[in-house]
Amino acid sequence: MPNYTKIDLLRDLSVEVDAPRGTLKQAIDAIFQLIEARAAAGDTVRIAGFGKFEKTPRTVRRRRDRDIGAMLDPKDNPMLTFTPPRYDARAKRRD
């Protein structure tokens, strides 16, 4: 299954809304930058019907430096995670 890239998104979106790709690229870049900035500030960014973005701590373990043999403490390295909305089977229409 091939990846759907930002270029593919721009191409499809420009056809859908009949707008120039340059304008859409600026808008998409601005959206991603805002999401990243708000999540880095500690906020959870929720987009209804799409999912949520938030900064979560990485679980890292101590490791040994092979050159000097010393134990190194893990760095605090949070990462941006995306959680899709939960699927509610009860909401599915029954025929």
Side-chain angles (χ1 to χ4, degrees):
M1 173 182 241
N3 293 329
Y4 189 73
T5 65
K6 188 166 98 172
I7 293 172
D8 298 328
L9 177 65
L10 285 170
R11 182 191 63 236
D12 294 345
L13 192 57
S14 69
V15 170
E16 186 72 28
V17 298
D18 193 30
R21 286 187 191 178
T23 304
L24 295 173
K25 182 180 183 313
Q26 289 176 340
I28 289 173
D29 288 342
I31 290 168
F32 288 146
Q33 287 173 359
L34 286 171
I35 289 171
E36 189 173 10
R38 296 308 308 177
D43 295 337
T44 298
V45 179
R46 296 180 195 275
I47 302 173
F50 184 71
K52 68 179 179 178
F53 296 89
E54 60 188 338
K55 183 171 68 169
T56 56
R58 290 180 68 182
T59 54
V60 241
R61 58 188 176 94
R62 290 180 55 141
R63 61 184 179 87
R64 181 175 302 279
D65 186 331
R66 292 179 189 228
D67 293 334
I68 60 175
M71 292 300 288
L72 302 174
D73 289 326
K75 296 178 182 175
D76 181 25
N77 191 11
M79 61 186 209
L80 183 64
T81 58
F82 171 73
T83 307
R86 288 187 287 188
Y87 175 72
D88 187 2
R90 293 172 295 176
K92 185 177 179 183
R93 178 185 242 175
R94 296 181 186 202
D95 294 329

